[in-house]
Amino acid sequence: MRITQFLPILAAILTGAVLSLAAAAVGARTIETMSAHAVENQMNLRGYEWVDVQGDGLQIVLTGTAPDEQTQLAAQRAAGHVVDPARVMNVMSVVQKETIPAPRFSIEILRNDDGISLIGLVPSSWDHPDFIEQLKKAGGTGSIADFLEKADYPSPEHWDVAMEFGLEAIGLLPRSKISLAADKITVTALADSKTQKASFEKTLKEERPKTIPVTIEISAPRPVITPFTVRFLMDEMGPRFDACAAETPQGHARIIAAARAAGIADPNCTIGLGAPSAQWAQAVETGMRALQELGSGSVTFSDGDVSLIATQGTSEALFDKVVGELEADLPPTFTLHSILPEPEVAETENARPEFTVTRSPEGQTQLRGRIADERSKLATEALARAAFGAQSVYSAMRVDDSLPEGWSVRAMAAIEALSQLSQGAVTMTANTVDVRGQTGDPNAKAAIAGLLSEKLGEGQNFNISVDYIRKLDPVLNLPTPADCVANANQILAASKIVFDPGSTELNAAANETVDRIAETLKDCENVDMEIGAYSDSQGGEEMNLNLSAQRANAVLDGLLMRRVAGVSFTAKGYGEANPIGDNETEEGREANRRIEFKLIGDEAAEAPTEGADATDETPEAAPDDAPTDETVGEAQADTTDDTADDTADGTTE
């Protein structure tokens, strides 16, 4: 065949091939588009709008970000229902989950006579077995029920500090629940007595960590009160309780309500054990109403005995009416004794026998006045020496055999009453016993009222004027002035008060530190303390002096707002004086910008303050070698605020 004849045939074949390839390409694109649209519709129907569908020849490519792996696979399966699953290419990603935060780790330790139990969640990295061994040693027991669970996270900051305190607390408290966490510690425990409660609280406060808030709740059992006593008076000083005991919280509320109705603004009553009747509160309320109707006098409940004593000049008709109604209204277990005093007949001083026992702030005790006989004199002196110490008793009594019956018993009751006071005096006559002085025992007045009611017998008149002085209370273990300053500076060392640049306002961090300082100073009494503020050397000297004074006053205002009542503060700015660091370095300048507490008025703080208001009058002059009563004036420094007149601007602090 000639080549000219072959060329048309070859051209036809090539043309057909090209047309076939073109048709195939068009068909593939059509299939690709249709498949992509079908899969896209399926994704929308299933709610997978986040899926991006693209065709790549016969392949269907799925892209996009799935919320989780399960949804990603579900979208892939849905596409496989529309086209051949082999044609589906899954290149979808999954949202990255945030790291799960660590749980709050805490331990609750329960200790009682049966042993120790542990409940809570702890980090796996913590040395749990070592803590158990230390707990056994601290608690003195091998019986530990361990219900702790673990989580695979590192120990939080301050975790080990909390655990160390927990070991100290569990070793101290035989009946307790201690909740330990890195951000909070709560100690709840039972004490056998008020004294033990105070001891527990003192030790725990000394050992508590400075970096973790600690709540301490120690409970002591109700005191046993004997005799169970309420003594309610109305006189020129107004209505008041000399003693008040309630048997239950409900009875306490009833007595307090009656006291407020009688005009006592802030009544105080102790809940204790020993009430002679379940109707105690009802009886007390009835007696208080009776005395209010009389207008003045006293009503004393001592166990089941009730003494109603009117004042001289009370109408006899009114007295008879009130006594009759009170006898009818009192519960049957109570016995009423009522006295309407006769008008006094003027007596000469020599004809009026008197016995006086006084105790000075220094602890010296004097017995003066008349005593019935030599035997009673020796017995009275022996009782005083036993109560106050043999070396501190001075006796100047005179024997008088004409004294009324029961005089010696009353004299001994006077000595026992005085033994309840830190200092004071008891004066006894034939008609009454007057007790006055100061005490550090909040229950002393009630104890004296109960004692005199029991020793003097029914219907006897006595007066009690006793002041509770908190700083004399040995149970409170109040810190010394030096302790107060040291505790405040210790908190500053752990958490420095830092002001914002150029600011004289306490920020959030500084307020937290001031909160802790106020808490540690709340038990301080009669302390004179300076708040000193210092700056670095940057900026003008006068500007820094003014700025530091304003910052010192900001701290003072913060403490006063938190009702730190027992401390007299002086605020003072020192500017760039007394640097403790190098002002050429940032670290040194940071150290120099500081607040410091300092004790001032050392002589006033160290001077004895007991007996500021007491004056002991005695009927006879003491011989030259006899100890004398002295009163020491209570020194109290004025609070002064050194407030800067100018506001510093542009400081670099």
Side-chain angles (χ1 to χ4, degrees):
M1 181 179 294
R2 294 180 181 181
I3 190 168
T4 53
Q5 295 176 333
F6 177 75
L7 287 174
I9 297 172
L10 180 60
I13 293 172
L14 290 174
T15 301
V18 171
L19 292 173
S20 297
L21 290 173
V26 171
R29 284 197 297 271
T30 301
I31 294 173
E32 176 185 325
T33 302
M34 293 177 62
S35 298
H37 281 305
V39 172
E40 188 173 3
N41 290 335
Q42 181 72 354
M43 295 299 102
N44 291 333
L45 288 173
R46 295 294 184 92
Y48 303 143
E49 292 86 355
W50 49 267
V51 179
D52 184 17
V53 182
Q54 296 178 355
D56 185 8
L58 296 179
Q59 300 289 332
I60 297 298
V61 182
L62 305 182
T63 59
T65 303
D68 51 58
E69 293 182 358
Q70 292 81 3
T71 307
Q72 179 197 44
L73 295 176
Q76 180 180 345
R77 288 194 298 270
H81 294 318
V82 178
V83 299
D84 185 353
R87 294 171 54 198
V88 178
M89 294 181 61
N90 180 2
V91 292
M92 294 179 287
S93 60
V94 179
V95 173
Q96 293 296 321
K97 296 292 186 182
E98 295 182 1
T99 303
I100 300 175
R104 184 177 185 273
F105 294 113
S106 64
I107 298 178
E108 191 166 274
I109 307 176
L110 305 175
R111 182 183 177 189
N112 52 37
D113 295 337
D114 297 328
I116 298 175
S117 300
L118 301 177
I119 304 171
L121 180 67
V122 300
S124 299
S125 58
W126 176 57
D127 194 348
H128 173 210
D130 180 66
F131 181 78
I132 296 297
E133 291 303 316
Q134 294 186 61
L135 194 61
K136 290 179 180 178
K137 294 178 183 178
T141 179
S143 175
I144 294 184
D146 185 359
F147 301 105
L148 295 178
E149 298 181 0
K150 298 181 179 180
D152 191 14
Y153 289 88
S155 299
E157 186 180 7
H158 307 314
W159 175 260
D160 291 336
V161 174
M163 297 305 109
E164 290 176 8
F165 178 76
L167 291 172
E168 295 283 348
I170 208 68
L172 178 69
L173 307 170
R175 291 167 292 168
S176 57
K177 180 178 75 172
I178 303 170
S179 299
L180 303 173
D183 58 352
K184 184 179 181 181
I185 297 174
T186 302
V187 178
T188 306
L190 295 176
D192 293 331
S193 64
K194 184 179 179 181
T195 302
Q196 188 183 60
K197 173 180 181 291
S199 176
F200 284 164
E201 290 175 338
K202 181 176 185 294
T203 302
L204 290 171
K205 288 179 180 178
E206 291 174 349
E207 298 294 334
R208 64 184 174 184
K210 304 301 181 184
T211 55
I212 307 174
V214 180
T215 301
I216 300 172
E217 299 176 358
I218 310 294
S219 301
R222 292 183 186 175
V224 177
I225 301 174
T226 178
F228 217 71
T229 307
V230 167
R231 178 170 161 82
F232 176 63
L233 301 94
M234 295 183 69
D235 54 22
E236 64 278 0
M237 297 175 61
R240 66 188 187 279
F241 283 127
D242 266 353
C244 183
E247 78 284 24
T248 63
Q250 295 78 13
H252 177 269
R254 185 169 182 173
I255 293 174
I256 292 298
R260 289 199 174 102
I264 302 179
D266 189 20
N268 184 30
C269 202
T270 302
I271 301 177
L273 304 175
S277 168
Q279 298 173 295
W280 174 263
Q282 175 190 341
V284 170
E285 184 181 18
T286 301
M288 292 174 66
R289 284 201 306 267
L291 186 62
Q292 286 178 265
E293 189 172 354
L294 280 180
S296 62
S298 68
V299 60
T300 304
F301 290 78
S302 179
D303 288 338
D305 293 319
V306 183
S307 296
L308 178 67
I309 302 177
T311 55
Q312 288 181 353
T314 300
S315 164
E316 188 171 342
L318 175 62
F319 179 76
D320 291 341
K321 171 181 177 293
V322 170
V323 169
E325 292 176 349
L326 181 57
E327 283 182 330
D329 294 340
L330 281 173
T333 54
F334 291 87
T335 302
L336 176 64
H337 308 274
S338 56
I339 296 177
L340 178 61
E342 297 289 338
E344 282 190 356
V345 178
E347 296 180 293
T348 64
E349 184 64 27
N350 190 51
R352 183 173 176 265
E354 188 176 80
F355 172 82
T356 303
V357 54
T358 63
R359 189 181 187 191
S360 72
E362 296 74 30
Q364 296 294 326
T365 303
Q366 299 182 30
L367 307 176
R368 299 180 180 278
R370 305 186 192 186
I371 197 70
D373 51 47
E374 193 66 33
R375 181 178 178 183
S376 297
K377 179 181 178 183
L378 294 175
T380 303
E381 291 172 345
L383 178 62
R385 292 189 179 100
F388 306 111
Q391 302 302 317
S392 64
V393 175
Y394 171 77
S395 176
M397 293 182 289
R398 179 165 64 90
V399 174
D400 182 353
D401 57 8
S402 65
L403 295 172
E405 183 180 355
W407 185 269
S408 298
V409 174
R410 292 161 62 83
M412 292 186 179
I415 293 173
E416 289 187 58
L418 186 64
S419 68
Q420 303 288 329
L421 305 180
S422 299
Q423 67 91 23
V426 181
T427 302
M428 183 191 79
T429 65
N431 299 322
T432 188
V433 175
D434 289 314
V435 183
R436 68 183 189 277
Q438 296 179 345
T439 177
D441 182 0
N443 298 315
K445 185 181 287 188
I448 292 171
L451 170 71
L452 296 180
S453 296
E454 182 180 25
K455 299 291 185 180
L456 302 183
E458 300 86 1
Q460 293 297 315
N461 192 23
F462 54 88
N463 301 310
I464 303 173
S465 179
V466 172
D467 297 323
Y468 169 66
I469 307 299
R470 189 168 180 266
K471 66 186 176 185
L472 300 178
D473 194 336
V475 174
L476 294 180
N477 293 306
L478 297 179
T480 65
D483 290 337
C484 294
V485 172
N487 292 339
N489 284 324
Q490 187 176 17
I491 293 174
L492 283 177
S495 180
K496 188 176 179 181
I497 293 179
V498 179
F499 290 85
D500 295 330
S503 173
T504 60
E505 300 293 331
L506 296 173
N507 58 25
N511 271 304
E512 290 181 5
T513 302
V514 174
D515 284 341
R516 296 180 61 194
I517 293 173
E519 177 67 20
T520 198
L521 295 180
K522 70 178 183 179
D523 290 331
C524 296
E525 293 283 344
N526 298 329
V527 179
D528 298 321
M529 189 181 300
E530 178 187 277
I531 305 170
Y534 299 82
S535 69
D536 61 26
S537 62
Q538 293 188 322
E541 182 176 349
E542 186 67 23
M543 176 186 68
N544 287 333
L545 185 64
N546 290 337
L547 180 64
S548 63
Q550 292 177 62
R551 289 179 170 177
N553 277 285
V555 176
L556 183 148
D557 291 341
L559 291 170
L560 294 181
M561 288 175 60
R562 290 160 175 82
R563 301 182 183 277
V564 180
V567 182
S568 293
F569 291 107
T570 297
K572 187 170 184 180
Y574 289 94
E576 56 194 64
N578 304 324
I580 60 174
D582 185 359
N583 275 311
E584 299 301 318
T585 66
E586 178 55 38
E587 292 78 9
R589 290 191 292 271
E590 172 64 26
N592 290 333
R593 297 191 294 265
R594 68 194 189 276
I595 298 290
E596 289 182 357
F597 289 92
K598 183 174 68 175
L599 187 65
I600 58 177
D602 293 340
E603 293 182 0
E606 293 173 0
T609 56
E610 295 87 1
D613 299 322
T615 57
D616 296 334
E617 299 178 0
T618 55
E620 300 179 39
D624 294 339
D625 59 345
T628 59
D629 293 340
E630 297 179 0
T631 58
V632 180
E634 185 172 350
Q636 177 67 45
D638 293 334
T639 300
T640 59
D641 295 347
D642 297 331
T643 305
D645 296 329
D646 301 322
T647 301
D649 298 322
T651 180
T652 57
E653 293 187 40

